[in-house]
Amino acid sequence: LCREALALGLDRDDTIVRQRLAQKMEFLTDDVAGAAEPDEAALQKFFAENAARYARAARVSFRHVYFSQEKRGADADAAAREAMAALQKGGSEEAMGDAFLHGFEFAERAGEELAALFGPGFAERLLSLPPGGWRGPVISSYGLHLVRIDDRSEAEPVRLAEVQATVVRDFKEEHRQVANREVFERLRAR
């Protein structure tokens, strides 16, 4: 049936057939590019060039009091500043602020997690605050927050042995992409 379909030209001008043939070519180049295991020197070099990608991210643990700008409107800022004054005098945060869907205490959160949840500006600000004492208001995508940093850890480099499997995978993927581009360019030049 395949031979007869080709003889009738059924493969011509068929997007699905073209996509499948292109996919099979990609599989062939993937097999060639992914076959070789990196040697130790190449892996060390790749790891050194991409060390920041594998470092343990800075983390922060904090509590917050939330003030909804949607609910309070223009009064949110005044309410947050009033609450800050009360907290600095030793008041309890538990009776202050508005309900917050994601809770009021966050432990060991990386900047990426905070940016996804609260927005990038909030995450940057939080990671720059020192531990202890209430600070704010800090603006997020939800509204205003008074925050108290309980603990923080700075970004830490890791040893290759700790992330070797991930580094090998990334090394192979990067080399696979380069090999595919080279094959494609050679084919296109022909």
Side-chain angles (χ1 to χ4, degrees), residues 95-110:
M96 297 179 190
D98 300 319
F100 189 71
L101 177 67
H102 302 289
F104 295 98
E105 193 165 353
F106 296 84
E108 294 283 312
R109 297 299 177 101

Side-chain angles (χ1 to χ4, degrees), residues 83-93 96 134:
M84 176 59 93
L87 288 170
Q88 289 174 336
K89 291 179 184 172
S92 171
E93 78 271 13
M96 297 179 190
W134 287 94

